[in-house]
Amino acid sequence: MEGGPAEDLRTEDLLRELAPQVLGALVRRYGGFDACEDAVQEALLAAAVQWPVEGTPENPRGWLVTVASRRLVDQVRSERARRLREDRLALATPQAELLSRAADADAATDRDDSLALLFLCCHPALSAPSRIALTLRAVGGLSTAQIAAAFLVPEATMAQRISRAKQTIKASGEPLRMPGASDRAERQRAVLHVLYLIFNEGYVTTDGDDLTAPALSAEAIRLTRWLHRLLPEDTETAGLLALMLLTDARRPARTGPGGDPVPLAEQDRSRWDQDLIAEGVALLTATLPRGEVGPYQVQAAVAAVHDEAAHVDATDWPQILLLYGLLEELAPNPMVTLNKAVAVAMVHGPAAGLDLIAGLEDDKRMAGHHRLFATRAHLLELLGDTASAAAQYRDAARRATSAPERRHLTARAARPAAEVR
């Protein structure tokens, strides 16, 4: 009997959860990340078609491992691989996986394989876009078409990006294993950064007609929850998850009826998701006292201060300014300084904020960024210089790559002085 939409959704959730476990099992057993990943994707597609109709098998992980293994054998045969490798795969008996749990299917093995897989997808030889694409496909279980749609690029372009990433992994010769102690911390930072980038692209898209891509942010939160379960003692993973939850809680109020952005100060806070806020605050409260504070924990603390203010006038700006000062020490970059300038303006006045922004004008990373112009415009508004503010808003609109942001900034430039005040 054919399943309905609810059954399809349950199947999709289960497949995404099992994807890294199955790929990790195949890569550890057979080697060859690229071939194994292709085989797993075929198995996931087969399951997505069959399970809603025929029902989920008693051992869904075993089913996927079996089907993917058979696909891998077919690939080896069709490509006329060396006889030794073909024999090794042909002699495997994955059919037993359908009848009982595999000997290597215990939770510890899945945990280790899944972690190793995530680290492999964030290999230092890969560019940030390639890491993101490979993580979403291999660990997130998304199809190439889904990833391409999320990033508004042609499927062929995304397929090439993923193919190049897999070839780079293959050329590196790195096996599926956790990095050594010497480079594990650096690789883990790369993993967290990839998840952070995925979330940010979903929360404010780089370009296109929509301000947000909720599916991307949801996938980033899901993967970060998963990583937090695998590494429950890691405080920065917990901090990143808290940051995502506290930020995503505002999503219902951050766009207007036409899809254009609504600034934080003007959002209807009754629409914020209080459950996400409570979860994020609880996670952060439990994490901060446990170890060395990192950048994600500090950003989460800033988000918590905003979220806990019942009204914009109740925001504890001195606390936010202190937190941005700490963040600037931990992870200095021009975007942090730009955000700090807003806090400085709210505590010490807009002129002080503008002085801080002036120091960013010579930074090549920020000099032409639309957010620099938009922030300067906002502070000029607070000073009462509406003519200069309008000019800055127009400059910001010309530089914005997102259509909703361009419309929003253009509308800000056109506001009469009475409305601004």
Side-chain angles (χ1 to χ4, degrees):
M1 182 176 178
E2 189 170 349
E7 182 63 29
D8 291 344
L9 187 58
R10 284 192 293 270
T11 297
E12 182 179 348
D13 290 343
L14 178 58
L15 291 176
R16 289 190 180 186
E17 181 179 342
L18 292 174
Q21 298 178 23
V22 175
L23 180 54
L26 257 68
V27 174
R28 178 166 42 81
R29 185 179 302 175
Y30 302 128
F33 176 88
D34 54 340
C36 288
E37 200 278 330
D38 288 340
V40 170
Q41 282 292 319
E42 291 189 36
L44 292 173
L45 288 173
V49 172
Q50 294 180 39
W51 291 4
V53 177
E54 301 174 6
T56 303
E58 183 177 348
N59 179 7
R61 180 189 182 280
W63 190 99
L64 288 168
V65 169
T66 298
V67 172
S69 295
R70 289 172 176 167
R71 296 290 196 275
L72 190 58
V73 171
D74 291 341
Q75 288 177 25
V76 171
R77 288 172 176 162
S78 65
E79 294 165 6
R80 298 181 181 178
R82 290 178 303 157
R83 178 61 56 185
L84 180 61
R85 186 179 177 197
E86 182 177 355
D87 289 345
R88 185 178 70 177
L89 291 174
L91 288 172
T93 55
Q95 181 64 30
E97 294 260 9
L98 288 173
L99 305 177
S100 62
R101 293 283 286 176
D104 63 354
D106 60 273
T109 299
D110 282 340
R111 172 189 179 278
D112 293 344
D113 282 351
S114 297
L115 276 174
L117 180 62
L118 188 53
F119 277 79
L120 190 62
C121 289
C122 296
H123 195 281
L126 298 175
S127 66
S130 293
R131 291 176 183 178
I132 290 171
L134 197 58
T135 297
L136 286 172
R137 180 170 159 111
V139 183
L142 298 182
S143 68
T144 302
Q146 288 173 312
I147 302 169
F151 284 92
L152 303 175
V153 299
E155 185 175 351
T157 300
M158 187 57 69
Q160 290 177 353
R161 184 178 298 172
I162 292 172
S163 178
R164 285 195 299 268
K166 290 192 290 185
Q167 289 303 312
T168 299
I169 295 292
K170 182 179 180 179
S172 75
E174 184 169 332
L176 184 74
R177 67 184 179 195
M178 290 297 292
S182 60
D183 63 347
R184 178 168 176 171
E186 182 63 30
R187 291 285 284 275
Q188 188 165 327
R189 281 193 291 271
V191 167
L192 294 179
H193 186 58
V194 163
L195 296 175
Y196 178 71
L197 291 176
I198 294 171
F199 177 83
N200 281 349
E201 182 62 26
Y203 198 69
V204 182
T205 56
T206 303
D207 51 29
D209 295 328
D210 297 320
L211 180 68
T212 67
L216 268 184
S217 292
E219 182 63 12
I221 291 174
R222 187 188 72 83
L223 289 174
T224 308
R225 284 191 190 278
W226 170 72
L227 183 59
H228 179 53
R229 288 197 299 269
L230 296 177
L231 299 172
E233 300 304 316
D234 186 73
T235 54
E236 270 294 79
T237 300
L240 178 58
L241 178 56
L243 172 61
M244 290 180 178
L245 296 173
L246 291 164
T247 304
D248 207 57
R250 305 178 205 139
R251 184 184 295 276
R254 66 183 303 268
T255 53
D260 291 351
V262 177
L264 180 62
E266 300 172 19
Q267 290 177 16
D268 178 359
R269 299 186 178 213
S270 68
R271 298 181 62 199
W272 289 358
D273 189 324
Q274 296 303 316
D275 289 338
L276 288 183
I277 292 173
E279 183 183 358
V281 169
L283 184 59
L284 186 63
T285 301
T287 299
L288 285 175
R290 284 183 15 224
E292 183 179 351
V293 175
Y296 293 120
Q297 295 168 74
V298 176
Q299 290 180 72
V302 171
V305 174
H306 280 300
D307 286 7
E308 291 184 313
H311 187 272
V312 63
D313 294 335
T315 304
D316 188 347
W317 284 107
Q319 177 70 9
I320 290 176
L321 180 56
L322 286 172
L323 289 168
Y324 272 124
L326 176 58
L327 185 58
E328 211 170 27
E329 293 178 9
L330 293 171
N333 70 67
M335 195 61 75
V336 171
T337 303
L338 187 65
N339 289 327
K340 180 184 175 183
V342 175
V344 167
M346 301 307 293
V347 175
H348 300 297
L354 286 168
D355 288 342
L356 187 56
I357 285 178
L360 295 173
E361 293 172 357
D362 295 329
D363 191 316
K364 293 180 180 179
R365 296 170 295 175
M366 183 58 70
H369 201 291
H370 75 280
R371 293 184 191 274
L372 176 64
F373 291 87
T375 302
R376 187 189 291 118
H378 173 59
L379 298 187
L380 287 168
E381 275 186 343
L382 295 179
L383 275 178
D385 188 352
T386 54
S388 297
Q392 291 295 310
Y393 276 130
R394 285 192 291 269
D395 282 342
R398 282 193 289 270
R399 289 168 169 80
T401 55
S402 162
E405 287 193 294
R406 284 197 299 271
R407 290 195 301 267
H408 167 73
L409 292 166
T410 301
R412 289 267 156 175
R415 290 192 306 171
E419 183 181 341
V420 171
R421 293 181 183 145

